[in-house]
Amino acid sequence: MLKRALLGATALALLAGSASAADLATRYPVKAAPIPVQTFSWTGFYIGGNVGWGWADNTYDVTPFGSLVGYSYSPGTGNGFIGGLQTGYNYQFANNVVVGVEADLDWSDIGSSTVVAGGPFTGGSISQNIDYFGTIRARLGYGIDRFLPYITGGAAWAKQNFSDFYGNTYNDTKWGWTAGAGVEYAITNNWTVKAEYLYLGFNKNTTNDFFGDSYSVGSNISTAKLGVNYKF
């Protein structure tokens, strides 16, 4: 009787050991959860500066008093250095689309002066200059981590000066439109660099002088700029 009890207990112990070994055999090592990779976000306010080169496509049309014939002259393409400041705000959506708004102000050395050749005003001079200009624009881009290509457009204004062989002068701020594109890259979480092209278009300014002569002045500006921003 005792022998049978011992044999039963031994059998139970062997079965329990086999079951434990089977459980251990089916257990797999647990891997640590992957650490999420943090991507750069373009959302936030920023402020910065820029330098570059600008050129203006200048036009000048004059119609003498009582004449049905007008004369068009080209004062040439004025060009020069530009530099200034910009500030704005970006918001990046979950699908990486980035929308924003930016305003900038640039001082300008863009100007041209030429001597008229041909027509009744041969030998007269025309001068056109851009003292400073600015834009207020929307931006639309797509964030590829730290790389942001974008298009932009909005309103533009420029302080323009003009003088001609009549002694006429024009010194005023004109409003127009602007459009362009650029690329921006974040070198750190706060500092970014960018390259940008903008075209600024303005309507001609038409004026009549004391003698009844009519003249129209036009200047459209193109700019290529390099800039740096600090993102808050």
Side-chain angles (χ1 to χ4, degrees):
M1 190 71 169
L2 179 61
K3 185 176 180 180
R4 290 180 180 177
L6 290 174
L7 287 174
T10 302
L12 289 173
L14 289 174
L15 288 173
S18 299
S20 298
D23 291 341
L24 291 173
T26 57
R27 292 177 183 174
Y28 298 97
V30 179
K31 294 183 179 180
I35 300 175
V37 178
Q38 184 176 1
T39 59
F40 180 80
S41 173
W42 288 93
T43 298
F45 289 95
Y46 61 89
I47 188 171
N50 68 82
V51 295
W53 189 260
W55 55 101
D57 180 18
N58 298 317
T59 59
Y60 175 71
D61 303 317
V62 57
T63 302
F65 173 70
S67 174
L68 298 178
V69 179
Y71 299 89
S72 296
Y73 300 98
S74 174
T77 300
N79 55 77
F81 288 102
I82 59 175
L85 303 172
Q86 71 270 349
T87 185
Y89 177 81
N90 290 319
Y91 182 82
Q92 181 169 338
F93 292 92
N95 60 0
N96 295 329
V97 171
V98 178
V99 297
V101 60
E102 180 174 298
D104 57 16
L105 170 64
D106 282 272
W107 288 266
S108 164
D109 189 34
I110 302 173
S112 67
S113 180
T114 189
V115 176
V116 174
F121 309 107
T122 298
S125 63
I126 307 171
S127 296
Q128 288 179 260
N129 299 281
I130 308 296
D131 293 337
Y132 49 85
F133 62 92
T135 67
I136 304 172
R137 297 175 279 113
R139 300 205 313 171
L140 175 64
Y142 186 82
I144 309 171
D145 195 17
R146 293 178 177 270
F147 183 69
L148 177 67
Y150 63 88
I151 57 175
T152 183
W157 58 274
K159 179 66 161 52
Q160 301 181 358
N161 292 312
F162 166 83
S163 63
D164 69 358
F165 40 78
Y166 277 152
N168 296 317
T169 61
Y170 171 81
N171 186 349
D172 202 358
T173 299
K174 296 183 67 175
W175 282 87
W177 59 273
T178 182
V183 292
E184 193 165 358
Y185 181 77
I187 54 179
T188 71
N189 287 338
N190 297 107
W191 290 100
T192 70
V193 293
K194 72 172 185 174
E196 182 179 78
Y197 167 81
L198 291 178
Y199 180 85
L200 290 71
F202 301 95
N203 292 327
K204 289 184 178 181
N205 180 74
T206 302
T207 306
N208 294 318
D209 65 12
F210 177 79
F211 302 101
D213 305 310
S214 174
Y215 63 96
S216 298
V217 181
S219 290
N220 296 319
I221 307 170
S222 294
T223 66
K225 299 190 286 187
L226 297 175
V228 58
N229 288 322
Y230 181 82
K231 185 174 82 72
F232 296 94

